Amino acid sequence: MIARVGKECCGCSACANICPKHCIRMTENNEGFLYPQIQEENCVNCGACEKVCPILQAASAKDGRRQAWAVVNQDQGVLKDSSSGGLFSALADEIIARGGCVFGAAFTADFSRVHHIMAETIEELSALRGSKYTQSDLENCYPAVREQLNQGRWVLFTGTPCQIAGLKGFLGRDHERLICADVICHGTPPSLLWQSYLKHILIKLGSRAIAVSFRDKTEGWKKFSMKITAENGKIYRCSLREDPYLIMFLKSVCLRESCYHCRVKKKGFFSDLTMGDLWGADQILPEIEYDLGVSLALVHTEKGRLLFEQICRSMSVFPVDFERAFPYNPVLVDSVRRPDERDHFFSDLDMLSWNKLERRYAKDRIYTVVRRMIATSPIGNLKRAIIK
Protein backbone atom coordinates (compact mmCIF):
# COMPACT_ATOMS: atom_id res chain seq x y z
CA MET A 1 0.00 0.00 0.00
CA ILE A 2 0.93 3.68 -0.27
CA ALA A 3 2.53 3.77 3.20
CA ARG A 4 5.65 2.08 1.81
CA VAL A 5 6.59 5.31 0.00
CA GLY A 6 7.81 6.66 3.36
CA LYS A 7 9.92 9.82 3.36
CA GLU A 8 9.99 9.89 -0.44
CA CYS A 9 6.33 10.96 -0.33
CA CYS A 10 5.96 14.43 -1.86
CA GLY A 11 2.62 15.20 -0.19
CA CYS A 12 0.68 15.67 -3.43
CA SER A 13 -2.46 14.05 -1.89
CA ALA A 14 -3.40 12.13 -5.06
CA CYS A 15 -3.75 8.96 -2.98
CA ALA A 16 -6.17 10.57 -0.53
CA ASN A 17 -8.30 11.96 -3.36
CA ILE A 18 -8.49 8.71 -5.35
CA CYS A 19 -9.26 6.31 -2.49
CA PRO A 20 -12.75 4.84 -3.11
CA LYS A 21 -13.21 4.11 0.61
CA HIS A 22 -11.98 7.53 1.76
CA CYS A 23 -9.67 5.83 4.22
CA ILE A 24 -6.59 8.00 3.50
CA ARG A 25 -6.17 11.39 5.12
CA MET A 26 -3.34 13.86 4.71
CA THR A 27 -2.04 14.50 8.23
CA GLU A 28 0.80 16.68 9.50
CA ASN A 29 3.80 14.84 10.94
CA ASN A 30 5.95 16.21 13.77
CA GLU A 31 7.74 18.55 11.32
CA GLY A 32 4.46 19.93 9.98
CA PHE A 33 4.55 18.21 6.57
CA LEU A 34 1.49 16.45 5.15
CA TYR A 35 1.71 12.66 4.78
CA PRO A 36 -1.00 10.08 4.01
CA GLN A 37 -2.43 8.37 7.08
CA ILE A 38 -4.32 5.16 6.30
CA GLN A 39 -7.24 3.76 8.27
CA GLU A 40 -6.21 0.13 7.89
CA GLU A 41 -9.56 -1.29 8.96
CA ASN A 42 -11.31 0.36 5.99
CA CYS A 43 -8.66 -0.37 3.35
CA VAL A 44 -9.68 -3.01 0.76
CA ASN A 45 -6.23 -3.18 -0.89
CA CYS A 46 -7.61 -2.06 -4.27
CA GLY A 47 -4.27 -0.50 -5.21
CA ALA A 48 -5.81 2.73 -6.51
CA CYS A 49 -3.51 4.85 -4.32
CA GLU A 50 -0.36 3.22 -5.69
CA LYS A 51 -1.50 3.64 -9.30
CA VAL A 52 -1.77 7.43 -8.95
CA CYS A 53 1.32 8.02 -6.78
CA PRO A 54 3.92 10.05 -8.75
CA ILE A 55 6.68 8.41 -6.71
CA LEU A 56 5.62 4.84 -7.44
CA GLN A 57 4.62 5.44 -11.05
CA ALA A 58 7.19 3.95 -13.43
CA ALA A 59 6.24 6.17 -16.38
CA SER A 60 8.31 9.24 -17.16
CA ALA A 61 7.17 12.42 -18.84
CA LYS A 62 7.57 12.58 -22.61
CA ASP A 63 10.75 14.41 -23.56
CA GLY A 64 9.70 16.67 -26.41
CA ARG A 65 11.39 19.61 -28.06
CA ARG A 66 11.12 22.63 -25.79
CA GLN A 67 11.15 26.35 -26.34
CA ALA A 68 12.36 28.94 -23.84
CA TRP A 69 11.25 32.56 -23.67
CA ALA A 70 11.84 35.65 -21.56
CA VAL A 71 8.51 37.27 -20.72
CA VAL A 72 7.56 40.67 -19.29
CA ASN A 73 3.91 41.62 -18.77
CA GLN A 74 3.06 44.99 -20.33
CA ASP A 75 0.60 45.84 -17.53
CA GLN A 76 2.75 47.66 -14.97
CA GLY A 77 0.27 47.05 -12.15
CA VAL A 78 0.24 43.31 -12.76
CA LEU A 79 4.02 43.30 -13.18
CA LYS A 80 4.53 45.04 -9.83
CA ASP A 81 2.27 42.59 -8.00
CA SER A 82 3.82 39.50 -9.63
CA SER A 83 6.85 37.62 -8.34
CA SER A 84 8.73 37.91 -11.61
CA GLY A 85 7.50 38.97 -15.07
CA GLY A 86 3.75 38.40 -14.76
CA LEU A 87 3.54 35.26 -16.92
CA PHE A 88 0.99 33.55 -14.67
CA SER A 89 -1.42 36.48 -14.89
CA ALA A 90 -1.35 36.47 -18.69
CA LEU A 91 -2.00 32.71 -18.85
CA ALA A 92 -4.78 32.92 -16.27
CA ASP A 93 -6.44 35.92 -17.91
CA GLU A 94 -6.67 34.02 -21.20
CA ILE A 95 -8.23 30.95 -19.55
CA ILE A 96 -10.79 33.14 -17.72
CA ALA A 97 -11.59 34.89 -21.03
CA ARG A 98 -12.43 31.47 -22.50
CA GLY A 99 -14.96 30.91 -19.71
CA GLY A 100 -12.59 28.62 -17.87
CA CYS A 101 -11.20 28.50 -14.35
CA VAL A 102 -7.78 28.59 -12.70
CA PHE A 103 -6.45 26.53 -9.78
CA GLY A 104 -3.53 27.81 -7.75
CA ALA A 105 -2.07 28.52 -4.32
CA ALA A 106 -3.66 31.17 -2.09
CA PHE A 107 -3.42 32.20 1.55
CA THR A 108 -6.19 31.41 3.99
CA ALA A 109 -8.04 34.40 5.47
CA ASP A 110 -5.62 34.72 8.41
CA PHE A 111 -2.52 34.10 6.21
CA SER A 112 -1.44 31.20 8.44
CA ARG A 113 -1.72 28.56 5.71
CA VAL A 114 -1.58 28.18 1.94
CA HIS A 115 -4.06 26.03 0.07
CA HIS A 116 -5.18 25.50 -3.53
CA ILE A 117 -8.39 27.23 -4.59
CA MET A 118 -10.32 27.79 -7.81
CA ALA A 119 -10.66 31.24 -9.40
CA GLU A 120 -13.33 32.01 -12.00
CA THR A 121 -13.00 35.80 -12.35
CA ILE A 122 -10.18 38.25 -13.01
CA GLU A 123 -10.72 39.69 -9.53
CA GLU A 124 -10.27 36.29 -7.89
CA LEU A 125 -6.93 35.78 -9.64
CA SER A 126 -5.21 38.32 -7.36
CA ALA A 127 -5.22 35.76 -4.52
CA LEU A 128 -3.26 33.31 -6.70
CA ARG A 129 -0.67 35.83 -7.83
CA GLY A 130 2.76 35.85 -6.20
CA SER A 131 5.03 33.17 -4.74
CA LYS A 132 4.15 31.39 -1.51
CA TYR A 133 7.20 29.72 -0.01
CA THR A 134 5.38 27.17 2.12
CA GLN A 135 3.56 23.90 1.47
CA SER A 136 0.18 24.30 -0.25
CA ASP A 137 -2.59 21.97 0.92
CA LEU A 138 -4.41 20.59 -2.13
CA GLU A 139 -7.41 19.43 -0.06
CA ASN A 140 -10.08 18.21 -2.54
CA CYS A 141 -8.61 20.11 -5.48
CA TYR A 142 -8.12 17.18 -7.88
CA PRO A 143 -11.80 16.08 -7.90
CA ALA A 144 -12.75 19.73 -8.44
CA VAL A 145 -10.47 19.89 -11.50
CA ARG A 146 -12.05 16.73 -12.88
CA GLU A 147 -15.53 18.13 -12.34
CA GLN A 148 -14.71 21.32 -14.26
CA LEU A 149 -13.19 19.34 -17.13
CA ASN A 150 -16.25 17.08 -17.28
CA GLN A 151 -18.34 20.23 -17.71
CA GLY A 152 -16.28 21.05 -20.79
CA ARG A 153 -14.49 24.06 -19.28
CA TRP A 154 -10.92 25.14 -19.87
CA VAL A 155 -8.81 24.60 -16.75
CA LEU A 156 -5.40 26.05 -15.90
CA PHE A 157 -3.80 24.18 -13.00
CA THR A 158 -0.65 25.67 -11.46
CA GLY A 159 1.57 24.12 -8.81
CA THR A 160 4.85 22.40 -8.10
CA PRO A 161 6.08 19.61 -10.42
CA CYS A 162 4.97 16.90 -7.97
CA GLN A 163 1.48 18.44 -7.71
CA ILE A 164 1.20 18.41 -11.51
CA ALA A 165 2.33 14.77 -11.60
CA GLY A 166 -0.16 13.93 -8.84
CA LEU A 167 -3.00 15.54 -10.78
CA LYS A 168 -2.06 13.69 -13.98
CA GLY A 169 -2.03 10.40 -12.07
CA PHE A 170 -5.38 11.14 -10.45
CA LEU A 171 -7.07 11.99 -13.76
CA GLY A 172 -5.61 8.94 -15.47
CA ARG A 173 -5.60 10.49 -18.93
CA ASP A 174 -4.88 13.72 -20.73
CA HIS A 175 -7.66 16.26 -21.31
CA GLU A 176 -7.70 18.58 -24.30
CA ARG A 177 -8.82 21.57 -22.24
CA LEU A 178 -6.46 21.05 -19.29
CA ILE A 179 -3.35 23.21 -19.22
CA CYS A 180 -0.81 22.46 -16.48
CA ALA A 181 1.84 25.03 -15.60
CA ASP A 182 4.41 24.17 -12.95
CA VAL A 183 6.75 26.52 -11.12
CA ILE A 184 10.50 26.08 -10.91
CA CYS A 185 10.64 24.55 -7.46
CA HIS A 186 13.37 25.01 -4.85
CA GLY A 187 11.47 22.88 -2.34
CA THR A 188 8.67 23.31 0.19
CA PRO A 189 8.86 24.33 3.87
CA PRO A 190 5.94 23.23 6.08
CA SER A 191 3.05 25.34 7.29
CA LEU A 192 4.31 24.79 10.84
CA LEU A 193 7.46 26.84 10.16
CA TRP A 194 5.53 29.60 8.41
CA GLN A 195 3.01 29.81 11.24
CA SER A 196 5.77 30.09 13.83
CA TYR A 197 7.52 32.82 11.85
CA LEU A 198 4.31 34.76 11.15
CA LYS A 199 3.33 34.68 14.82
CA HIS A 200 6.79 36.01 15.73
CA ILE A 201 6.44 38.95 13.30
CA LEU A 202 2.84 39.77 14.24
CA ILE A 203 3.76 39.98 17.93
CA LYS A 204 6.23 42.69 16.92
CA LEU A 205 3.63 44.47 14.82
CA GLY A 206 0.95 44.15 17.50
CA SER A 207 -1.91 43.29 15.16
CA ARG A 208 -3.21 40.66 12.74
CA ALA A 209 -1.97 40.38 9.15
CA ILE A 210 -3.99 41.83 6.27
CA ALA A 211 -1.42 41.26 3.49
CA VAL A 212 1.69 39.13 2.93
CA SER A 213 4.20 39.21 0.09
CA PHE A 214 7.22 36.92 -0.14
CA ARG A 215 8.47 38.89 -3.13
CA ASP A 216 7.85 42.60 -2.51
CA LYS A 217 9.54 44.67 -5.24
CA THR A 218 9.84 48.01 -3.44
CA GLU A 219 13.61 47.81 -3.98
CA GLY A 220 13.31 45.99 -7.29
CA TRP A 221 12.94 42.42 -8.53
CA LYS A 222 16.51 41.29 -7.80
CA LYS A 223 16.39 42.76 -4.28
CA PHE A 224 12.97 41.47 -3.28
CA SER A 225 11.78 41.56 0.32
CA MET A 226 9.46 39.80 2.71
CA LYS A 227 6.60 42.20 3.44
CA ILE A 228 3.87 41.72 6.04
CA THR A 229 1.22 44.39 6.51
CA ALA A 230 -0.75 44.53 9.77
CA GLU A 231 -4.29 45.77 10.36
CA ASN A 232 -3.01 48.61 12.56
CA GLY A 233 -1.05 50.03 9.61
CA LYS A 234 2.37 48.81 10.70
CA ILE A 235 4.53 47.09 8.10
CA TYR A 236 7.35 44.58 8.39
CA ARG A 237 9.69 44.64 5.40
CA CYS A 238 13.03 42.84 5.27
CA SER A 239 15.17 42.06 2.23
CA LEU A 240 16.10 38.56 1.12
CA ARG A 241 19.60 39.29 2.40
CA GLU A 242 18.38 39.73 5.98
CA ASP A 243 14.96 38.11 6.45
CA PRO A 244 15.43 34.89 8.48
CA TYR A 245 12.59 32.97 6.82
CA LEU A 246 13.87 33.66 3.30
CA ILE A 247 17.44 32.79 4.31
CA MET A 248 16.37 29.50 5.92
CA PHE A 249 14.36 28.67 2.80
CA LEU A 250 17.21 29.42 0.40
CA LYS A 251 19.69 27.58 2.64
CA SER A 252 17.35 24.57 2.29
CA VAL A 253 17.45 23.69 5.99
CA CYS A 254 13.65 23.61 6.30
CA LEU A 255 12.48 21.59 3.30
CA ARG A 256 10.52 18.36 2.98
CA GLU A 257 12.78 15.29 2.91
CA SER A 258 11.65 14.32 -0.60
CA CYS A 259 12.72 17.74 -1.92
CA TYR A 260 16.40 16.83 -1.49
CA HIS A 261 16.09 13.98 -4.02
CA CYS A 262 13.00 14.86 -6.02
CA ARG A 263 11.86 11.76 -7.88
CA VAL A 264 9.50 13.76 -10.10
CA LYS A 265 12.23 16.03 -11.50
CA LYS A 266 14.19 12.96 -12.54
CA LYS A 267 11.25 11.83 -14.69
CA GLY A 268 11.06 15.05 -16.71
CA PHE A 269 8.36 17.70 -17.14
CA PHE A 270 4.75 16.56 -16.70
CA SER A 271 3.46 20.08 -17.36
CA ASP A 272 2.58 21.92 -20.57
CA LEU A 273 4.54 24.98 -19.45
CA THR A 274 7.03 25.84 -16.73
CA MET A 275 7.12 29.26 -15.07
CA GLY A 276 9.97 30.86 -13.12
CA ASP A 277 12.33 33.79 -12.79
CA LEU A 278 14.84 34.44 -15.54
CA TRP A 279 17.73 34.88 -13.14
CA GLY A 280 20.80 36.04 -15.04
CA ALA A 281 18.66 38.21 -17.34
CA ASP A 282 21.36 40.88 -17.29
CA GLN A 283 23.77 38.34 -18.77
CA ILE A 284 21.38 36.54 -21.14
CA LEU A 285 19.40 39.52 -22.45
CA PRO A 286 21.18 42.71 -21.33
CA GLU A 287 19.15 44.79 -23.80
CA ILE A 288 15.79 44.41 -22.01
CA GLU A 289 14.38 46.28 -19.02
CA TYR A 290 13.98 43.90 -16.10
CA ASP A 291 13.98 45.98 -12.89
CA LEU A 292 10.41 44.89 -12.06
CA GLY A 293 11.02 41.30 -13.07
CA VAL A 294 11.23 38.99 -16.05
CA SER A 295 9.77 35.49 -16.28
CA LEU A 296 11.32 32.42 -17.81
CA ALA A 297 8.74 30.46 -19.80
CA LEU A 298 9.48 26.91 -20.91
CA VAL A 299 6.99 25.46 -23.39
CA HIS A 300 6.87 21.64 -23.40
CA THR A 301 3.76 20.61 -25.36
CA GLU A 302 1.65 21.65 -28.33
CA LYS A 303 -1.16 22.72 -25.98
CA GLY A 304 1.31 24.85 -24.09
CA ARG A 305 2.62 26.39 -27.30
CA LEU A 306 -0.84 27.35 -28.55
CA LEU A 307 -1.77 29.02 -25.24
CA PHE A 308 1.56 30.81 -25.03
CA GLU A 309 1.20 32.18 -28.57
CA GLN A 310 -2.26 33.44 -27.67
CA ILE A 311 -0.98 35.57 -24.78
CA CYS A 312 2.06 36.99 -26.56
CA ARG A 313 0.15 40.07 -27.70
CA SER A 314 -0.10 41.27 -24.07
CA MET A 315 3.53 40.49 -23.27
CA SER A 316 7.02 41.53 -24.25
CA VAL A 317 8.52 38.23 -25.39
CA PHE A 318 12.14 37.37 -26.25
CA PRO A 319 13.54 33.98 -27.32
CA VAL A 320 16.09 32.45 -24.95
CA ASP A 321 18.59 29.64 -25.49
CA PHE A 322 17.09 26.78 -23.44
CA GLU A 323 20.51 25.50 -22.35
CA ARG A 324 21.73 28.96 -21.37
CA ALA A 325 18.96 29.43 -18.82
CA PHE A 326 20.02 26.33 -16.84
CA PRO A 327 23.03 27.68 -14.88
CA TYR A 328 21.00 30.50 -13.37
CA ASN A 329 18.21 28.15 -12.28
CA PRO A 330 19.85 24.89 -11.20
CA VAL A 331 16.72 23.69 -9.37
CA LEU A 332 14.95 23.52 -12.72
CA VAL A 333 16.15 19.94 -13.14
CA ASP A 334 18.23 19.23 -10.04
CA SER A 335 17.27 18.83 -6.39
CA VAL A 336 18.88 21.04 -3.77
CA ARG A 337 21.61 19.62 -1.56
CA ARG A 338 20.48 18.44 1.87
CA PRO A 339 22.48 20.46 4.43
CA ASP A 340 23.78 18.78 7.59
CA GLU A 341 21.87 21.38 9.62
CA ARG A 342 18.60 19.79 8.46
CA ASP A 343 19.14 16.98 11.00
CA HIS A 344 18.51 19.30 13.93
CA PHE A 345 16.48 22.16 12.48
CA PHE A 346 12.96 21.01 13.34
CA SER A 347 13.80 19.88 16.86
CA ASP A 348 15.36 23.31 17.41
CA LEU A 349 12.23 24.93 15.97
CA ASP A 350 10.26 23.34 18.83
CA MET A 351 12.75 24.30 21.53
CA LEU A 352 14.41 27.61 20.61
CA SER A 353 13.06 31.14 20.47
CA TRP A 354 12.98 32.75 17.05
CA ASN A 355 15.90 34.99 17.96
CA LYS A 356 18.04 31.95 18.81
CA LEU A 357 16.80 30.04 15.77
CA GLU A 358 17.73 32.99 13.59
CA ARG A 359 21.24 33.22 15.02
CA ARG A 360 21.79 29.50 14.44
CA TYR A 361 20.27 29.03 10.99
CA ALA A 362 20.02 32.44 9.30
CA LYS A 363 23.45 33.95 9.87
CA ASP A 364 24.76 33.38 6.31
CA ARG A 365 24.33 36.26 3.90
CA ILE A 366 22.18 35.34 0.92
CA TYR A 367 25.06 36.01 -1.51
CA THR A 368 26.99 33.15 0.10
CA VAL A 369 23.92 30.91 0.13
CA VAL A 370 23.20 31.32 -3.60
CA ARG A 371 26.84 30.86 -4.59
CA ARG A 372 26.95 27.60 -2.62
CA MET A 373 23.65 26.42 -4.13
CA ILE A 374 24.92 26.85 -7.69
CA ALA A 375 28.41 25.55 -6.95
CA THR A 376 27.08 22.26 -5.54
CA SER A 377 24.76 21.64 -8.49
CA PRO A 378 25.95 19.55 -11.46
CA ILE A 379 24.68 22.36 -13.69
CA GLY A 380 27.09 24.70 -11.95
CA ASN A 381 29.90 22.91 -13.71
CA LEU A 382 28.87 24.60 -16.93
CA LYS A 383 30.72 27.65 -15.59
CA ARG A 384 28.21 30.11 -16.99
CA ALA A 385 26.64 31.28 -13.72
CA ILE A 386 27.94 34.71 -12.80
CA ILE A 387 26.53 36.26 -9.63
CA LYS A 388 26.79 39.99 -9.50
Side-chain angles (χ1 to χ4, degrees):
M1 59 182 59
I2 198 70
R4 66 187 177 91
V5 177
K7 290 185 177 181
E8 291 187 346
C9 170
C10 60
C12 73
S13 79
C15 58
N17 280 283
I18 202 68
C19 179
K21 295 297 182 180
H22 307 290
C23 64
I24 303 177
R25 293 185 178 180
M26 301 302 294
T27 306
E28 288 188 358
N29 69 353
N30 63 326
E31 294 179 344
F33 293 104
L34 294 172
Y35 284 87
Q37 185 177 56
I38 305 169
Q39 295 174 321
E40 302 279 358
E41 64 276 13
N42 296 326
C43 178
V44 294
N45 294 314
C46 66
C49 55
E50 294 190 347
K51 292 177 182 177
V52 302
C53 176
I55 305 304
L56 295 177
Q57 287 174 5
S60 297
K62 293 182 179 180
D63 187 17
R65 183 179 179 183
R66 299 186 179 89
Q67 298 173 308
W69 305 89
V71 177
V72 180
N73 201 303
Q74 295 175 1
D75 186 320
Q76 291 295 299
V78 168
L79 184 59
K80 185 177 180 181
D81 291 339
S82 301
S83 292
S84 50
L87 172 60
F88 162 77
S89 293
L91 296 172
D93 286 351
E94 174 61 25
I95 295 298
I96 296 294
R98 297 180 184 183
C101 57
V102 180
F103 289 82
F107 284 108
T108 54
D110 62 357
F111 295 92
S112 65
R113 292 175 53 249
V114 172
H115 62 159
H116 263 56
I117 64 170
M118 181 179 75
E120 299 182 270
T121 67
I122 296 297
E123 292 74 23
E124 290 172 342
L125 289 177
S126 61
L128 309 186
R129 194 176 292 130
S131 299
K132 285 92 175 176
Y133 296 140
T134 184
Q135 184 180 43
S136 177
D137 188 348
L138 287 161
E139 299 171 343
N140 63 343
C141 191
Y142 294 161
V145 171
R146 183 175 58 190
E147 179 182 354
Q148 297 303 313
L149 291 170
N150 288 341
Q151 293 177 16
R153 301 184 73 183
W154 283 92
V155 174
L156 173 64
F157 182 90
T158 61
T160 60
C162 59
Q163 290 172 338
I164 302 292
L167 173 64
K168 291 292 186 72
F170 173 84
L171 294 174
R173 66 178 182 88
D174 194 20
H175 288 259
E176 183 182 353
R177 295 198 169 194
L178 172 65
I179 304 292
C180 291
D182 61 355
V183 293
I184 298 176
C185 183
H186 179 88
T188 56
S191 294
L192 179 66
L193 175 63
W194 168 247
Q195 290 162 3
S196 176
Y197 167 83
L198 181 63
K199 180 180 179 181
H200 169 70
I201 298 300
L202 293 182
I203 288 174
K204 291 183 176 181
L205 296 179
S207 184
R208 69 183 187 92
I210 59 171
V212 171
S213 174
F214 285 87
R215 299 284 296 274
D216 178 70
K217 296 180 181 177
T218 299
E219 298 182 16
W221 168 57
K222 295 179 70 175
K223 299 178 181 178
F224 65 84
S225 302
M226 174 76 76
K227 180 182 177 182
I228 300 174
T229 305
E231 188 176 36
N232 60 9
K234 293 183 179 180
I235 295 175
Y236 168 86
R237 183 187 290 117
C238 193
S239 76
L240 79 161
R241 295 177 175 83
E242 304 294 337
D243 180 76
Y245 188 92
L246 291 176
I247 292 176
M248 292 173 189
F249 169 66
L250 290 172
K251 283 182 64 177
S252 308
V253 297
C254 55
L255 306 183
R256 190 182 185 94
E257 283 289 357
S258 61
C259 295
Y260 300 113
H261 42 85
C262 179
R263 294 277 294 274
V264 174
K265 286 183 181 180
K266 292 180 180 179
K267 296 180 180 182
F269 295 94
F270 288 84
S271 60
D272 299 292
L273 304 106
T274 294
M275 308 177 292
D277 296 270
L278 183 61
W279 300 125
D282 53 344
Q283 301 293 317
I284 299 172
L285 292 170
E287 68 274 16
I288 72 171
E289 173 61 44
Y290 56 84
D291 187 57
L292 282 180
V294 54
S295 294
L296 172 64
L298 301 179
V299 181
H300 307 302
T301 67
E302 181 66 9
K303 285 194 299 181
R305 183 186 68 81
L306 292 174
L307 177 60
F308 184 75
E309 289 181 352
Q310 190 68 29
I311 68 169
C312 282
R313 60 176 176 263
S314 63
M315 312 285 284
S316 298
V317 180
F318 310 87
V320 173
D321 182 352
F322 185 65
E323 296 295 330
R324 197 175 179 198
F326 277 2
Y328 301 95
N329 248 315
V331 295
L332 178 63
V333 295
D334 189 42
S335 301
V336 297
R337 181 184 65 85
R338 187 186 190 280
D340 294 338
E341 297 162 291
R342 173 61 170 78
D343 292 334
H344 308 289
F345 177 80
F346 286 99
S347 59
D348 284 345
L349 176 62
D350 287 335
M351 298 174 60
L352 301 181
S353 68
W354 253 97
N355 290 333
K356 291 183 178 179
L357 197 72
E358 181 178 346
R359 287 197 295 269
R360 182 167 295 183
Y361 294 100
K363 59 184 178 182
D364 288 349
R365 290 182 60 82
I366 211 64
Y367 175 86
T368 304
V369 172
V370 176
R371 282 185 63 91
R372 186 186 304 126
M373 183 175 67
I374 291 178
T376 55
S377 167
I379 298 173
N381 294 330
L382 295 177
K383 306 297 185 183
R384 288 195 289 246
I386 304 172
I387 300 179
K388 295 294 183 180

